[in-house]
Amino acid sequence: MPDPTESINIENVVASTGIEQELDLQTVAMDLEGADYDPEQFPGLVYRTADPKSAALIFRSGKIVCTGAKSTDAVHEALHMVFDELRALDIPIEEDPEITVQNIVTSADLGKDLNLNAIAIGLGLENIEYEPEQFPGLVYRIDEPDVVALLFGSGKLVITGGTEPADAEAAVQVISDRLSDLGLLG
């Protein structure tokens, strides 16, 4: 059987930072080419970067959340582009603001169809949510690493809540080992 950890793909990295000052988003939106700001719809200004592809949500408080990047390097690169754009508008930003990765969403494939009913029983109900009439996936809350995995009958997985790529690898290993131990992985 192929190693399922090799199928891991980062789908989205979310990181946050702050520039330690309040911003006049209306003014920033007028001066920052490509910015979208509609306070009736959303309280933050949206600024998209093309390469790496991401969206920075800039709030009046100076907090910035970046989403849509496909790696931790890309999220850092995108935020540094945002810092440079804001500096070009004469907004003073310290040299290297702290960036915190909040969430990494990954996908993986166990390479085998899964019997979610048997898995729900085998893993025990304390860490599982499975209501197939509500949602086709089984929700598995893993303690170590502290992530949530969605398991689908196709063998595909979505892992969310990690803060570094190694969390996804560890989660896929935990899932593979648990399902193998239960005789539910082929």
Side-chain angles (χ1 to χ4, degrees):
M1 184 171 105
D3 180 356
T5 60
E6 291 176 15
S7 72
I8 294 172
N9 191 33
I10 294 177
E11 303 295 339
N12 185 20
V13 178
V14 179
S16 64
T17 187
I19 57 170
E20 310 301 321
Q21 62 186 297
E22 289 215 349
L23 296 170
D24 177 349
L25 293 182
Q26 197 68 55
T27 302
V28 172
M30 287 189 296
D31 295 342
L32 189 59
E33 194 173 323
D36 291 322
Y37 181 54
D38 183 354
E40 303 276 317
Q41 297 295 316
F42 182 71
L45 178 150
V46 180
Y47 180 71
R48 296 182 198 316
T49 60
D51 186 22
K53 191 169 188 231
S54 75
L57 312 175
I58 303 170
F59 297 93
R60 189 176 56 82
S61 65
K63 294 268 186 253
I64 302 173
V65 176
C66 186
T67 184
K70 298 287 188 184
S71 72
T72 53
D73 287 346
V75 84
H76 280 82
E77 188 181 334
L79 280 167
H80 282 284
M81 291 166 71
V82 171
F83 298 150
D84 289 345
E85 290 289 339
L86 294 175
R87 285 185 189 109
L89 301 177
D90 293 327
I91 296 170
I93 297 173
E94 66 184 72
E95 186 55 41
D96 207 6
E98 185 179 340
I99 296 171
T100 305
V101 173
Q102 302 286 348
N103 185 20
I104 299 177
V105 179
T106 56
S107 62
D109 191 345
L110 294 175
K112 297 220 179 299
D113 285 352
L114 301 176
N115 178 339
L116 298 181
N117 289 318
I119 291 171
I121 293 163
L123 291 177
L125 298 175
E126 58 278 349
N127 298 326
I128 295 291
E129 289 175 40
Y130 183 50
E131 297 181 37
E133 57 284 342
Q134 301 290 321
F135 180 70
L138 180 146
V139 179
Y140 180 22
R141 297 182 191 287
I142 302 173
D143 292 331
E144 197 50 50
D146 184 13
V147 298
V148 174
L150 306 176
L151 286 69
F152 296 93
S154 64
K156 300 243 189 302
L157 308 174
V158 174
I159 299 153
T160 185
T163 56
E164 50 193 66
D167 292 339
E169 261 181 62
V172 169
Q173 201 59 60
V174 164
I175 293 165
S176 293
D177 292 349
R178 290 279 287 135
L179 296 184
S180 292
D181 291 349
L182 293 166
L184 296 171
L185 201 54

